[in-house]
Amino acid sequence: MTLDSTNAPLLRVSSVSKAYGDVVALDDVNIEIQQNEFFALLGPSGCGKTTLLRSIAGFEDPDAGAITILGAGSGTGSGPGEGGQIDLLSLPPNKRPVNLMFQSYALFPHMNVRKNIAYGLEREGLGKDEIAERVNEVLITTGLTDKADVRPAQLSGGQRQRVALARAIVKRPRLLLLDEPLSALDRKVRAEMQIELKRLQHEVGITFVVVTHDQEEAMSMADRIAVMHEGRVQQIADPVTLYSQPANVFVADFIGTGSLLHGIVANAVLLLRPEAVHISAEMAGAQLHGEVVETHFFGGSSTTSVRVAEMETLIVASHPGAPKFAVGERVGISWNADDAILLEDQP
Amino acid sequence: MRNLGWLRVPFIFTYAFLYIPIAVLVVMSFNASKSPFVWTGFSTQWYTALFNNELIRQGFINTMIVAVGATILATILGTLLAIGVSRYFRSAIVEAYSLAPAIIPDLVLAIGLLAFFALVGVTLSLFSVLLAHVVFGMAFVAAVVIARIGQTDSSLEEASRDLGAGVVTTFRKITLPSLAPAIIAGALLVFTLSLDEFVIAYFTNGPTTPTLPIVIYSMVRFGVTPEINALAALLLLVSFTIVISAQRITRLTDAV
């Protein structure tokens, strides 16, 4: 990624709102996505992230706001408005210089892999030779060359996902939208495909926007993440900032693990990440005292959950090695003021 | 196959009950004797007689006109109905009413259509039979196609649009091919149903253009002849061929 590309905005979502009857799906959403960025829309189901993605692709019509492709840079994508601004909402889905990879992959069952991938290029009216060349190229990039003549039903989940990806990137879109790209895969393949997606994104140099409800997935792949909740953007930041400086209680709770403590600091919520919490048998000098209620050993590290009298939330501490305390033991809890995160107490 | 145990007995009886009459019919169509009950030797004379029978030949032609015409119309209309109902209405009530002609008794449909044709002034003829067959045939096609739409991934069409195809191209390249097995199965179903449909044809037909089932009915009133056996055996062959090929086609295209 070059400095130039990181500074050039590619997509601007401004003041977009959408309601279905009384249900507000998007509430004044503002997002700017940079060229060549791997951007994630993260949130629990029903938070509006899929509605936003489908609005960008053209399958939902927002009630208000604008979605614009900014012409900066020399995108290879075809379509109207090359070089200038493109008002996406004025175009039907088949005229937008963006492509969507569907959650179900939506591979055409009556066509083989090669035909599936060629479909989008045929619609552009390209010559046979050019289509064949570009399809072969993308087959190599995605490692599907020996599956080219097979129909989707004969492929594994991971292979289908590659075909869906190949079918979208062969169009060389300005922006590739991916709707829960890994949710249909089993755990092991998912980990492989995370790395694969990241590699492909670098290789083809296309801006990726991924929708996911899995915070680990978003954290490990994305350059920047927009956390959404109830149709609103809660925070847009890189993974480290989201974790260490969450904007509000929702983000703090949704990203990573940690104990949200009320009543320690007046009118504020105190967030303690497990790695910031120290527990010891030493009671003197500890900020809180409690009783160990649970320990978990994960091999390399372990967590210890402590109940502090008259506090609803357990305080969880993580540390390397085996658990140091037994269930029922009294311990002192302490932390560095710098490691604790203070959040506004929401009504 | 699992061991049926004592269930083998009712199983055998059921199959015997179903197929012995048919077997007798086929065997007797090759009987040399004119009596349908006494076997005197093998002969194909009744098949020859059948092909020389002017009434039956005309009945067969009439039936084919109705069956082919009704199949084409019912397939087109039924497919459109299915897409409309499952795409745009999404209402269980609308869906149920669109399938009703397949379920309500033939007699009710026949009387209703007769009254309707009289009301709007359609002269009863082969054409009115054809229209009547389209009515129930459309419902059968719609039922099969709606079931198929329920199984297809609705994002296929969106994917096609996303990849740059317009509405018409998407319908031609994606919607139709993915529904093709159901459309073909529905068409074959309508064809076989129309081929031997009696009640509705009897009510809605004109006096000079009897279809094959009506011809058979008027012949049988004077007793079952071996000629009728031969005709029934041929119809059986046609129906079996169509049903088996329908299954083949759906299985072939489903295996993708």
Side-chain angles (χ1 to χ4, degrees), chain B residues 113-124 127-128 131:
Chain B
L113 283 164
L114 183 60
F116 174 74
F117 287 143
L119 184 74
V120 298
V122 172
T123 322
L124 296 184
F127 182 64
S128 54
L131 285 184

Side-chain angles (χ1 to χ4, degrees), chain B residues 8 19 24 33 39 42 95 100 103 117 124 130 132 138 157 176-177 186 197 214 218 225 244 249:
Chain B
R8 198 184 295 274
Y19 286 103
V24 168
S33 158
W39 178 265
F42 180 83
E95 188 177 321
I103 300 155
F117 287 143
L124 296 184
L130 194 154
M138 200 169 80
E157 287 168 348
L176 271 189
E197 202 287 322
I214 296 172
S218 47
T225 66
I244 290 169
I249 289 167

Side-chain angles (χ1 to χ4, degrees), chain A residues 16 60 63 127 225 334:
Chain A
V16 167
E60 300 287 347
D63 301 331
I225 300 171
S334 57

Side-chain angles (χ1 to χ4, degrees), chain B residues 131-149:
Chain B
L131 285 184
H133 282 192
V134 169
V135 170
F136 74 81
M138 200 169 80
F140 278 100
V141 174
V144 181
V145 176
I146 285 173
R148 176 80 185 189
I149 291 175

Side-chain angles (χ1 to χ4, degrees), chain A residues 96-168:
Chain A
R96 297 188 183 194
V98 301
N99 283 110
L100 172 59
M101 197 183 107
F102 289 80
Q103 187 172 9
S104 63
Y105 306 147
L107 301 179
F108 306 132
H110 55 289
M111 299 179 190
N112 65 22
V113 169
R114 189 186 297 279
K115 284 261 171 204
N116 260 283
I117 299 173
Y119 187 84
L121 298 180
E122 285 165 3
R123 303 286 80 75
E124 285 177 30
L126 298 178
K128 263 195 176 151
D129 295 341
E130 193 186 347
I131 293 177
E133 195 181 311
R134 274 170 70 172
V135 170
N136 284 333
E137 230 170 75
V138 85
L139 280 170
I140 294 168
T141 320
T142 49
L144 284 165
T145 309
D146 55 334
K147 299 285 176 199
D149 301 316
V150 163
R151 292 209 174 172
Q154 287 148 273
L155 297 174
S156 71
Q159 288 166 338
R160 279 180 215 187
Q161 202 234 23
R162 280 164 205 257
V163 179
L165 198 60
R167 193 174 67 174

Side-chain angles (χ1 to χ4, degrees), chain B residues 228-239:
Chain B
I228 297 288
N229 285 341
L231 180 59
L234 282 181
L235 282 176
L236 193 69
L237 186 69
V238 172
S239 300

Side-chain angles (χ1 to χ4, degrees), chain B:
Chain B
M1 195 175 163
R2 260 176 33 199
N3 196 348
L4 284 172
W6 67 271
L7 280 175
R8 198 184 295 274
V9 179
F11 174 79
I12 290 168
F13 271 107
T14 311
Y15 263 66
F17 184 71
L18 272 173
Y19 286 103
I20 285 176
I22 295 173
V24 168
L25 180 144
V26 175
V27 170
M28 281 306 174
S29 72
F30 292 102
N31 191 356
S33 158
K34 204 172 169 54
S35 158
F37 308 110
V38 192
W39 178 265
T40 54
F42 180 83
S43 160
T44 54
Q45 57 168 310
W46 303 115
Y47 287 88
T48 323
L50 189 65
F51 289 114
N52 293 326
N53 186 326
E54 188 50 38
L55 259 178
I56 288 178
R57 195 158 58 188
Q58 196 52 51
F60 178 74
I61 291 169
N62 290 342
T63 289
M64 287 311 281
I65 292 172
V66 170
V68 171
T71 302
I72 293 170
L73 279 177
T75 304
I76 296 170
L77 294 175
T79 303
L80 294 177
L81 177 65
I83 293 173
V85 163
S86 39
R87 279 294 142 71
Y88 301 104
F89 278 105
R90 297 181 173 280
S91 146
I93 294 169
V94 174
E95 188 177 321
Y97 274 107
S98 66
L99 305 183
I103 300 155
I104 57 177
D106 284 354
L107 200 59
V108 176
L109 197 59
I111 296 168
L113 283 164
L114 183 60
F116 174 74
F117 287 143
L119 184 74
V120 298
V122 172
T123 322
L124 296 184
S125 65
L126 271 190
F127 182 64
S128 54
V129 181
L130 194 154
L131 285 184
H133 282 192
V134 169
V135 170
F136 74 81
M138 200 169 80
F140 278 100
V141 174
V144 181
V145 176
I146 285 173
R148 176 80 185 189
I149 291 175
Q151 291 166 8
T152 11
D153 182 358
S154 61
S155 51
L156 286 185
E157 287 168 348
E158 284 184 347
S160 166
R161 300 272 285 142
D162 186 69
L163 292 167
V167 180
V168 178
T169 313
T170 297
F171 184 76
R172 212 161 44 83
K173 294 240 171 208
I174 305 301
T175 315
L176 271 189
S178 63
L179 298 180
I183 295 171
I184 294 167
L188 293 172
L189 189 63
V190 174
F191 187 78
T192 44
L193 288 173
S194 170
L195 208 59
D196 68 349
E197 202 287 322
F198 176 75
V199 177
I200 295 171
Y202 193 74
F203 272 74
T204 56
N205 204 343
T208 55
T209 51
T211 57
L212 199 53
I214 296 172
V215 172
I216 295 172
Y217 171 71
S218 47
M219 285 171 77
V220 171
R221 281 160 73 186
F222 307 106
V224 176
T225 66
E227 222 173 323
I228 297 288
N229 285 341
L231 180 59
L234 282 181
L235 282 176
L236 193 69
L237 186 69
V238 172
S239 300
F240 263 42
T241 315
I242 290 175
V243 168
I244 290 169
S245 53
Q247 275 189 337
R248 278 278 166 82
I249 289 167
T250 31
R251 208 182 310 151
L252 272 184
T253 34
D254 265 353
V256 293

